[in-house]
């Protein structure tokens, strides 16, 4: 076994350590306010060590976005392999609502989106991830709708994906605006709204 292979788990652990520290700094200080020095202090390693893994803060954001995208792509692939795709999608609503209402998760993602609105390089990172996310979710919806007898054109499926994305991403704003939100009630009504959307006539 090569030394490179042996060191791979350690390298991945270091990367995750940096990403976790950077996420905390971005939430606390904003993208521009968070320096590599602050991130290195939070991660408990030298700035030089961070630069060994990431060229700059934008590269760190790219890794955070890629990690979230990988999680979502894995989730949608698992849903497509389920015996009852619609029920599998509805079961994932609970996790999705909980994640998007989590203040730390919401704060980090809103900070990244805010930076994308003014930084073309971060915008490309976010846009590319969004394309991959929408394509996977659209494929999942197509399979689910076909299995229940619906025939939808591409425009309809794309619009359904946008509505779902807007619903879930809107939760992040609500998590910040209203920290006292009644999660249980929102969860129940959210599941009903998603079910209604999934059962829309062609």
């Amino acid at each position: 076994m090569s030394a490179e292979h042996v060191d791979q788990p350690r390298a991945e652990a270091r990367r995750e350590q940096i990403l976790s520290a950077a996420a905390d700094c971005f939430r606390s200080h904003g993208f521009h306010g968070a320096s590599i020095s602050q991130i290195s202090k939070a991660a408990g390693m030298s700035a030089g060590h961070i630069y060994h893994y990431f060229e700059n803060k934008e590269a760190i954001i790219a890794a955070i976005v890629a990690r979230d995208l990988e999680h979502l792509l894995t989730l949608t692939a698992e849903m497509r392999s389920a015996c009852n795709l619609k029920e599998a999608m509805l079961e994932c609503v609970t996790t999705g609502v909980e994640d998007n209402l989590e203040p730390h998760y919401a704060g980090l993602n809103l900070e990244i989106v805010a930076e994308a609105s003014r930084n073309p390089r971060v915008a490309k990172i976010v846009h590319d991830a969004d394309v991959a996310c929408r394509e996977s979710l659209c494929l999942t919806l197509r399979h689910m709708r076909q299995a229940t007898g619906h025939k939808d054109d591409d425009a309809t499926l794309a619009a359904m994906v946008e509505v779902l994305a807007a619903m879930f991403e809107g939760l992040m704003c609500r998590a910040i605006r209203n920290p006292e939100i009644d999660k249980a009630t929102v969860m129940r009504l959210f599941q009903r709204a998603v079910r209604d959307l999934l059962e829309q006539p062609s």
Side-chain angles (χ1 to χ4, degrees):
M1 184 179 294
S2 68
E4 181 180 353
H5 183 78
V6 171
D7 289 341
Q8 189 64 26
R10 182 189 300 173
E12 287 301 317
R14 288 291 178 86
R15 279 175 57 86
E16 285 301 315
Q17 187 177 348
I18 294 168
L19 294 182
S20 177
D24 287 341
C25 290
F26 290 155
R27 276 191 295 263
S28 300
H29 308 289
F31 180 77
H32 290 285
S35 66
I36 291 294
S37 175
Q38 288 172 326
I39 295 171
S40 67
K41 183 176 180 180
M45 62 182 71
S46 69
H49 208 100
I50 289 178
Y51 283 121
H52 175 74
Y53 292 97
F54 298 101
E55 182 181 358
N56 49 39
K57 289 190 292 183
E58 289 165 2
I60 294 175
I61 281 186
I64 291 172
V65 171
R67 182 178 60 184
D68 287 349
L69 175 61
E70 181 181 4
H71 172 72
L72 188 139
L73 295 181
T74 299
L75 185 64
T76 51
E78 289 174 351
M79 283 191 287
R80 288 194 294 272
S81 67
C83 295
N84 189 324
L85 180 49
K86 183 170 72 174
E87 292 306 314
M89 292 183 74
L90 290 169
E91 286 177 11
C92 288
V93 168
T94 299
T95 301
V97 171
E98 289 177 345
D99 287 347
N100 285 281
L101 284 178
E102 204 284 311
H104 285 101
Y105 177 85
L108 175 61
N109 279 275
L110 291 174
E111 179 61 36
I112 291 174
V113 170
E115 181 60 21
S117 72
R118 54 185 173 254
N119 183 329
R121 292 180 296 276
V122 174
K124 187 177 188 314
I125 292 168
V126 171
H127 293 167
D128 288 349
D130 190 68
V131 169
C133 174
R134 285 186 282 113
E135 287 177 349
S136 184
L137 186 52
C138 191
L139 179 62
T140 306
L141 273 175
R142 187 185 298 279
H143 286 191
M144 185 279 295
R145 296 277 290 173
Q146 287 177 344
T148 52
H150 295 283
K151 295 181 180 179
D152 305 296
D153 57 27
D154 291 344
T156 298
L157 288 170
M160 292 177 71
V161 167
E162 288 294 347
V163 171
L164 283 171
M167 289 172 64
F168 281 102
E169 291 176 15
L171 290 172
M172 290 189 283
C173 289
R174 299 310 306 158
I176 302 300
R177 289 180 179 272
N178 180 16
E180 303 303 318
I181 193 167
D182 183 346
K183 293 183 181 181
T185 301
V186 168
M187 184 87 68
R188 176 170 51 82
L189 295 177
F190 208 91
Q191 287 179 318
R192 184 184 301 171
V194 171
R195 182 181 291 275
D196 287 345
L197 178 64
L198 296 181
E199 294 176 351
Q200 286 291 312
S202 301

